[in-house]
Amino acid sequence: MNEIDFDEIDINENAPYEEPQRQYYYIKKCRDYIQKKKQELSRPMYFTIKTFGCQMNARDSEKIHGILENIGYVEASENDTPDLILFNTCTVRENANLKVYGNLGNLKKEKAKNPDMIIGLCGCMMQEPDVVEKIKKSYSFVNLIFGTHNLYKFGELLNEVYSSNKMVVDVLKDTKLIVEKLPTERKYAFKSGVNIMFGCDNFCTYCIVPYVRGRERSRKPEHIIREIKDLVNDGVVEIMLLGQNVNSYGKGLENSISFAKLLQMVEEIEGLKRIRFMTSHPKDLSDELIDVMSKSKKICRHIHLPVQSGSNSLLKRMNRHYTKESYLELVDKIRKAMPDISITTDIIVGFPGETEEDFEDTMDVVKKVRYDSAYTFIYSKRTGTPAAKFPDQVPEDVVKDRFNRLLKQVQEDSAYRNAQKLGNTVDVLVEEQNTQNPEFVTGKMDNNSTVHFKGNKELIGQIVKVHLDEAKGFYYYGTIVTNDAEIHGDEVRI
Ligand code: 5AD
Ligand code: SF4
């Protein structure tokens, strides 16, 4: 999948029009340029990618990484000065934007010392015209800006940067195009995200995503299956199907198909051991999906089901299309079908007009569901979204107080849920060596909980049985069950 036959490409001819061949052509052009640079400098050319935000961005960064490695760059380690720095940005909350400006401010001096350094910006924040204007004005040392819809063009744009002394800016408002078969370089050898759809059509009134990621479009199932089979052949055992609203997967495809059907197709892929997905919108979660999940051997017992608020009037003004009651019914239905499932959520505190009563409704849902874990956010006003113009923005001190009360509750619930599984022996996919203690490794249970246990790094990428000894809030300490464990190639059999 990552192999491009560069010998086949003649860069003295004109660039082809079709994708991805056009990009392969430009990658080869960049490759020749970087080859010369390396000879000139007698050293490798280094790059760094800094990724902000969600799993989608993490996956996009893997695609950029793949293109850069094909061009001939090497990822910089701590002591290398990068020749190219790319920020893959997020704009879901104001904080994310501030971090990028902070990083750019720091880079100004660096760039003055090292004028050949290429600085690029991409991702959601670049889809906002005001941001691009600000960067052109205040950070004119940036070399390249592109958006979420033309990431596939990175090679072509970089080629332009090499021959230009002006800032290259290419941001599209939206696209229907999905370019397949670009090179990617995974962060983990044994697990991978897989995009199944792009964009979002829900227009929740607080959210900027539909404006920066464009209209919802699904990849064809055959392309998704091909990609996963290739990943499995390359050593992947766990995949995470990615979309802003995976439950509406398949709408608009020539042969329309449901998300549950796609899951059934993915389940059949031999060698694949775990299937995850993210994110589910409660309004579109079907009985068919619950049924498929409960019968599946590979779909992980975890569902991320953002509630955002427990107040019906707020949910209406958020444009969420469900009520507190229907959400709670859905949770009941899911738990009845799969009693051991983990349910996690996103909650926003301080949405415009939120009263104490509204907040109490949110607390009530939280207390009733007792989430395994919850991401709690303070409402952030995003220019261009309907909620930015709503009256009655909630005073900061009130929001902070509510936020702290909510946080205390979700932490208690998380500890309660974790304690329930104590003493069980569970399957854990070992992900990395523990950063604090090299004698330990860290892995994930199928319900997404984190477990630390004594073990060596040869276990990374394997699914092993671990006894849960101690629950620490939202993670565990455990012991690998090794009694008569035999190591068989890539897995431990008990
Ligand atoms: N303010 C605060 N949180 C937000 N989210 C999305 N937009 C905003 C905003 N304007 C949160 C939602 C969403 C998660 C990814 O980010 O909870 O589910
Ligand atoms: Fe934003 Fe709502 Fe779409 Fe999620 S579903 S990305 S919160 S608009």
Side-chain angles (χ1 to χ4, degrees), residues 308-311 313-314 317-318 347-360 362 379 391-395 398-399 402-403:
Q308 314 296 2
S309 167
S311 149
S313 79
L314 245 59
R317 276 189 290 135
M318 286 177 163
I347 303 167
I348 298 177
V349 179
F351 184 77
E354 183 189 72
T355 61
E356 182 57 25
E357 210 186 335
D358 292 323
F359 177 70
E360 283 301 333
T362 300
Y379 169 73
D392 306 325
Q393 304 274 335
V394 187
V398 177
V399 179
R402 288 179 190 160
F403 184 81

Side-chain angles (χ1 to χ4, degrees), residues 77 216-217 265 277 299 312 315 319 327 340 353 381 405 408 430 457:
S77 62
E216 195 174 286
R217 55 216 179 272
M265 290 165 73
F277 56 84
I299 304 172
N312 284 341
L315 285 169
N319 196 30
Y327 182 91
D340 58 340
K381 188 171 164 176
R405 280 150 64 199
K408 190 163 168 276
V430 186
K457 60 176 195 282

Side-chain angles (χ1 to χ4, degrees), residues 166-292:
K166 280 204 249 115
M167 189 190 287
V168 174
V169 181
D170 192 359
V171 181
L172 305 178
K173 267 204 150 135
D174 203 351
T175 184
K176 288 200 170 74
L177 192 69
I178 298 178
V179 178
E180 300 285 347
K181 296 201 172 121
L182 285 173
T184 52
E185 190 60 42
R186 292 192 307 280
K187 188 170 169 199
Y188 296 96
F190 52 89
K191 69 169 184 176
S192 178
V194 174
N195 298 105
I196 62 166
M197 59 205 296
F198 301 94
C200 180
D201 282 352
N202 289 312
F203 291 96
C204 300
T205 53
Y206 50 81
C207 188
I208 201 160
V209 169
Y211 306 91
V212 295
R213 286 270 173 183
R215 296 292 55 75
E216 195 174 286
R217 55 216 179 272
S218 294
R219 279 177 79 195
K220 290 186 178 152
E222 56 271 28
H223 289 156
I224 297 170
I225 300 295
R226 180 76 264 152
E227 180 178 347
I228 301 173
K229 282 187 174 163
D230 287 343
L231 287 166
V232 170
N233 283 337
D234 200 32
V236 164
V237 292
E238 176 180 301
I239 52 136
M240 163 89 86
L241 303 175
L242 296 171
Q244 303 295 350
N245 179 10
V246 290
N247 300 115
S248 73
Y249 170 77
K251 282 183 200 153
L253 282 176
E254 223 170 282
N255 302 311
S256 99
I257 163 174
S258 69
F259 178 53
K261 291 261 160 23
L262 176 73
L263 280 172
Q264 283 176 310
M265 290 165 73
V266 176
E267 173 109 17
E268 273 164 30
I269 298 176
E270 226 170 286
L272 181 66
K273 296 189 177 152
R274 280 182 170 183
I275 305 166
R276 298 187 185 279
F277 56 84
M278 194 114 145
T279 290
S280 286
H281 193 306
K283 80 178 163 69
D284 295 317
L285 199 143
S286 65
D287 291 351
E288 187 196 11
L289 174 65
I290 298 175
D291 187 50
V292 167

Side-chain angles (χ1 to χ4, degrees), residues 70 111 401:
N70 270 279
K111 173 92 179 185
D401 172 65

Side-chain angles (χ1 to χ4, degrees), residues 92-93 206-207 306 308 346-348 377-380 382:
V92 77
R93 286 170 291 276
Y206 50 81
C207 188
Q308 314 296 2
D346 293 342
I347 303 167
I348 298 177
F377 304 109
I378 288 181
Y379 169 73
S380 170
R382 308 312 290 129

